[in-house]
Amino acid sequence: MLPKSRVIKLTARTGLRGHWPEAMAVTVILSLSILFAEMFRATVASVFGTMLSTSDGRFTVPGLVVMLFVAVIVIFFSVPLCLGVVRWFWNLSGSKVRPIREIFYYYSEWHLFTKSVFTAARLLVKVLWAALLCYLPAWLVWALTQNSVYELIGIKPLTDAAVLWPLLYLFCILSTLVLLKIILRYLLAPILVILDEDLDPGDAVNISKTIAKTHKNAYVYIFLSFLGWIAFSAFGVTLLYTLPFLFMSYAVFARFAISNHWHEAEREGVRPAFPVQEK
């Protein structure tokens, strides 16, 4: 059984004690890399705005080439570094203080770089596919509120659009909750890839889902308990405190979840879904 959120928060604060300056530096470097990538994207969009798309909003061939180049830059500056930061906090959660330079670990070798990118891509595809399925009912209800849809298929509106808006809001809320639960099942995938560098990203996602199934709604409850901290991060300057705390809490949660999975498998006499032990 997973511990309550207050235990995770207390453990995270204890692990950060005496290491706040390094933890802040790590998250500042990550934030600056994301900021640089966003500034680069905005600059490119501003300079090449007229050639990126036609007047009706369609991308041109040069526009697609430019946007692909921008995507590569964003991936290079953000994805491997983000996984490196997670790895740094994972080690700190196990009382192993690594040098700050180790957040660049996934730039050190080509196979590590590609592993970080493939992991992010696999997670993105999973999330987008889940979002498509979850919001499909809401999208269908929304379509029934649009006169242009009825004109396209050549029939009269089936009902007044105002009648369907409450149903649309209900479906959006339910779809969001279901999507959140699905996304949280993938939460351990980055940690599993960090622990086993030979693990395929797709297998990491599947193993994460397997481990999450044993905890039912525990992941959701723990996530909701951190919503206040996530919202507090929107103030910007508070990121100096909230980002290290959130990263550390994530690492602590993952450590509890994986350890709990090992103990449950041992108690039941079965092979754990993820048998690799931390080195």
Side-chain angles (χ1 to χ4, degrees):
M1 184 176 180
L2 289 176
K4 295 184 181 298
S5 62
R6 65 173 178 272
V7 176
I8 294 174
K9 294 173 183 176
L10 178 61
T11 306
R13 290 192 185 95
T14 302
L16 285 167
R17 190 174 299 155
H19 303 292
W20 276 102
E22 305 100 298
M24 288 180 177
V26 164
T27 53
V28 165
I29 293 172
L30 175 61
S31 300
L32 289 177
S33 74
I34 295 174
L35 178 62
F36 174 83
E38 174 56 25
M39 289 176 60
F40 179 78
R41 184 205 62 79
T43 301
V44 170
S46 176
V47 173
F48 298 96
T50 56
M51 65 174 289
L52 292 181
S53 61
T54 60
S55 57
D56 58 357
R58 291 181 299 175
F59 275 110
T60 61
V61 173
L64 288 174
V65 173
V66 171
M67 294 311 295
L68 179 62
F69 175 72
V70 170
V72 170
I73 295 297
V74 170
I75 289 171
F76 180 83
F77 277 99
S78 302
V79 173
L81 185 57
C82 187
L83 191 61
V85 168
V86 172
R87 180 177 178 270
W88 191 89
F89 277 99
W90 168 263
N91 281 297
L92 184 60
S93 70
S95 301
K96 297 178 182 177
V97 184
R98 301 293 190 186
I100 293 177
R101 66 175 181 272
E102 287 213 8
I103 64 175
F104 301 103
Y105 175 74
Y106 288 95
Y107 293 104
S108 62
E109 296 182 25
W110 176 248
H111 83 276
L112 293 173
F113 177 85
T114 55
K115 176 61 71 68
S116 67
V117 172
F118 288 152
T119 300
R122 193 61 181 260
L123 287 171
L124 180 61
V125 169
K126 284 283 189 180
V127 170
L128 291 177
W129 178 244
L132 178 64
L133 294 179
C134 289
Y135 285 102
L136 182 59
W139 182 85
L140 292 175
V141 174
W142 174 85
L144 293 176
T145 67
Q146 305 301 306
N147 290 330
S148 57
V149 173
Y150 293 106
E151 292 173 1
L152 182 64
I153 59 180
I155 63 174
K156 294 182 178 181
L158 300 177
T159 185
D160 185 8
V163 177
L164 296 174
W165 283 110
L167 184 61
L168 175 60
Y169 294 143
L170 176 62
F171 273 127
C172 286
I173 294 172
L174 293 177
S175 298
T176 301
L177 292 175
V178 173
L179 179 60
L180 173 63
K181 187 172 182 178
I182 292 174
I183 291 175
L184 291 176
R185 292 177 182 174
Y186 309 142
L187 204 59
L188 297 181
I191 297 294
L192 300 180
V193 169
I194 289 169
L195 285 174
D196 185 358
E197 294 179 354
D198 296 323
L199 185 66
D200 180 79
D203 292 336
V205 171
N206 292 331
I207 293 172
S208 178
K209 287 170 58 179
T210 300
I211 296 175
K213 286 179 182 178
T214 61
H215 302 297
K216 296 184 179 179
N217 296 319
Y219 280 34
V220 177
Y221 297 146
I222 292 174
F223 173 80
L224 292 177
S225 72
F226 281 91
L227 272 184
W229 287 101
I230 295 172
F232 195 52
S233 300
F235 291 99
V237 69
T238 59
L239 290 175
L240 277 174
Y241 175 81
T242 57
L243 268 186
F245 176 66
L246 289 173
F247 268 105
M248 190 62 168
S249 297
Y250 166 60
V252 169
F253 165 78
R255 194 171 286 278
F256 275 126
I258 294 173
S259 177
N260 182 74
H261 173 68
W262 285 334
H263 291 316
E264 287 183 351
E266 183 179 9
R267 185 173 62 250
E268 296 173 4
V270 298
R271 179 181 171 83
F274 185 73
V276 177
Q277 298 285 338
E278 184 178 9
K279 299 177 182 179

